[in-house]
Amino acid sequence: MVVCKSQSELDKMRRSGHIVRQVLDELRAMVAPGISTMDLEKLAERRIKESGAKPAFKGYYGYPCVLCTSINDEIVHGIPSAKRVLKTGDIVSIDCGVVLDGYYGDAAITVAVGDLVSPERKKLMEVTEQSLYKAIEKVKIGNTISDIGGAVQEFVEAAGFSVVREFVGHGIGTKLHEEPQVPNFRSRGADMRLREGMVLAIEPMVNTGGPEARVLEDKWTAVTLDGSSSAHFEHCVAVTRNGPLILTQ
Ligand code: MF3
Ligand code: CO
């Protein structure tokens, strides 16, 4: 069942989305060689608490942290650790979710560490973020879920990269994950039409090599099968009469 949101519900989601954005902005500025992913986690946890919101990920199916921090060949769901110290040339994806007043916000960015990030990784980050905006342009009443993924896939593959299939975006509202699933590729089952008030977390995950993923022994961290680099950007977007409304702005 897909739950469409009223204007007052969208206002609440905007507030949770705003908190997520403020946290991510601060973390982006903090990323530097020598910073550990646990340093990022600690700051995020403090800021979320100060905002009056609650972290959305911690405790979700037993997930241990408020952030997911995924470095280089890690696609998503990397677990923050004091032992994972960022170094120049790395790229780190930071995914953050909160719940405020019963409504969820969820967003992700990928950030370059230091000055020695390769041209390929820089292009990967640019293409992945741009593919998210290509997808957002499709968030219009009457378009289909498949139009969103199609826009990501077309843009990413034209750039010579590949789209991860094992993880997808999702509806979001009073739960972190609601229907429908939002794949980042054109898919047969995804012919659902977009309706006013639907809210979608669109989150392309893009690899420089092949699309295949595997999950590490920690049961969470998803990495590329071929060791290639991966980037991830995410926004929550509402379907409105006036077109897409980004709630995690
Ligand atoms: N943005 C990711 C998602 O929507 C993060 C979930 S992490 C989890 O799936 F721990 F909550 F699972
Ligand atoms: Co999400």
Side-chain angles (χ1 to χ4, degrees):
M1 188 191 50
V2 172
V3 186
C4 293
K5 280 79 181 174
S6 66
Q7 185 58 54
S8 70
E9 289 179 292
L10 293 185
D11 287 341
K12 288 184 184 178
M13 295 194 72
R14 223 178 189 162
R15 284 195 271 280
S16 45
H18 183 66
I19 292 167
V20 170
R21 179 55 47 194
Q22 282 185 313
V23 172
L24 288 178
D25 283 349
E26 199 172 342
L27 295 174
R28 176 197 292 282
M30 185 176 166
V31 165
I35 294 285
S36 78
T37 53
M38 185 53 78
D39 297 331
L40 301 174
E41 165 77 11
K42 291 288 174 228
L43 183 89
E45 189 162 36
R46 174 150 17 104
R47 289 295 183 257
I48 292 167
K49 192 169 265 181
E50 287 166 357
S51 76
K54 289 207 156 52
F57 301 167
K58 200 170 183 168
Y60 188 83
Y61 290 98
Y63 186 75
C65 290
V66 310
L67 297 179
C68 299
T69 50
S70 309
I71 304 170
N72 298 340
D73 66 321
E74 297 171 354
I75 301 169
V76 281
H77 303 164
I79 302 173
S81 162
K83 290 184 204 144
R84 299 301 301 279
V85 177
L86 299 172
K87 58 185 194 306
T88 188
D90 288 344
I91 57 174
V92 59
S93 302
I94 308 172
D95 192 345
C96 181
V98 305
V99 55
L100 180 74
D101 204 8
Y103 287 83
Y104 282 81
D106 182 10
I109 55 174
T110 302
V111 185
V113 183
D115 301 324
L116 296 180
V117 173
S118 70
E120 187 187 46
R121 282 181 173 168
K122 280 187 181 153
K123 182 180 166 203
L124 173 68
M125 291 193 293
E126 273 167 30
V127 166
T128 308
E129 186 167 24
Q130 284 169 7
S131 77
L132 172 56
Y133 287 96
K134 295 285 176 193
I136 291 171
E137 283 175 21
K138 300 292 180 188
V139 178
K140 289 190 182 140
I141 296 168
N143 277 355
T144 66
I145 291 291
S146 188
D147 290 333
I148 294 171
V152 172
Q153 182 177 13
E154 199 177 294
F155 188 76
V156 164
E157 291 179 355
F161 296 142
S162 64
V163 166
V164 173
R165 305 294 199 277
E166 279 96 330
F167 301 91
V168 296
H170 49 95
I172 182 167
T174 57
K175 290 184 288 184
L176 175 61
H177 293 144
E178 296 185 355
E179 286 177 36
Q181 293 198 358
V182 184
N184 298 298
F185 47 93
R186 212 166 260 298
S187 73
R188 281 181 166 278
D191 53 0
M192 180 191 285
R193 300 247 166 227
L194 304 183
R195 300 195 299 274
E196 188 176 3
M198 285 171 69
V199 181
L200 306 172
I202 305 175
E203 45 181 323
M205 287 146 267
V206 176
N207 301 344
T208 58
E212 300 82 8
R214 70 184 174 93
V215 175
L216 299 185
E217 304 71 53
D218 66 14
K219 299 274 182 26
W220 282 103
T221 312
V223 300
T224 59
L225 195 60
D226 59 10
S228 67
S229 302
S230 190
H232 178 212
F233 284 84
E234 176 177 25
H235 267 308
C236 294
V237 186
V239 182
T240 82
R241 252 173 285 181
N242 305 319
L245 173 66
I246 301 177
L247 300 169
T248 41
Q249 196 74 279

